[in-house]
Amino acid sequence: QFNANALYQAPWGIDVSGNVFGRQGYPYPLFRQGTTAALGGDSTLSVLVTPQIDYLRYPNLWNTDLRVSRTFKVDKVTFRGILDGFNMFNANTALVRNNNIASPTFNAIAQNLSPRIFRVGVVVGF
């Protein structure tokens, strides 16, 4: 896993910054529901059906965020205009899937990386 940040101060007081995050995909263990009836119990348990817990893995995760901002000063008040962009390459990486092989929704995506989002903001200082 790594995280890298950078900031460039461009002409006219414009700041451009970015963040890149990457990590190996988490393990994707496949299991099925079993019962403890054979052991004299009546509860259920999860039985791993892959040779190792990390035999299968989710895809590697990459995410890039960018920011452009500029500060303006009017008398004793400063305004900072900000434009943020999250998940700039619009990756649709699966983060969680249903890994119960006996489920009718087996392998369905339960959570994925949020889509590209932009945010506009203003910070006022006085």
Side-chain angles (χ1 to χ4, degrees), residues 57-71:
R57 299 188 81 86
Y58 287 103
N60 293 338
L61 176 65
W62 293 92
N63 190 23
T64 303
D65 302 329
L66 297 176
R67 171 179 275 194
V68 177
S69 64
R70 184 163 192 264
T71 302

Side-chain angles (χ1 to χ4, degrees), residues 7 12-17 67-71 80-83:
L7 170 69
W12 305 294
I14 297 173
D15 293 335
V16 179
S17 59
R67 171 179 275 194
V68 177
S69 64
R70 184 163 192 264
T71 302
R80 183 177 184 126
I82 302 169
L83 174 64

Side-chain angles (χ1 to χ4, degrees), residues 17-76:
S17 59
N19 180 64
V20 176
F21 173 79
R23 69 165 166 80
Q24 181 181 22
Y26 288 147
Y28 181 49
L30 300 181
F31 74 94
R32 67 174 179 81
Q33 290 299 116
T35 64
T36 59
L39 303 173
D42 60 354
S43 61
T44 61
L45 58 99
S46 298
V47 179
L48 184 66
V49 297
T50 52
Q52 300 165 343
I53 198 162
D54 64 347
Y55 181 76
L56 299 172
R57 299 188 81 86
Y58 287 103
N60 293 338
L61 176 65
W62 293 92
N63 190 23
T64 303
D65 302 329
L66 297 176
R67 171 179 275 194
V68 177
S69 64
R70 184 163 192 264
T71 302
F72 303 91
K73 189 165 186 170
V74 180
D75 293 327
K76 294 183 180 182

Side-chain angles (χ1 to χ4, degrees), residues 23 26-31 56-59 92-101 103-113:
R23 69 165 166 80
Y26 288 147
Y28 181 49
L30 300 181
F31 74 94
L56 299 172
R57 299 188 81 86
Y58 287 103
N92 191 24
T93 307
L95 302 176
V96 178
R97 290 183 179 268
N98 180 353
N99 56 348
N100 181 352
I101 64 170
S103 171
T105 59
F106 169 66
N107 209 32
I109 295 176
Q111 182 181 9
N112 62 336
L113 192 61

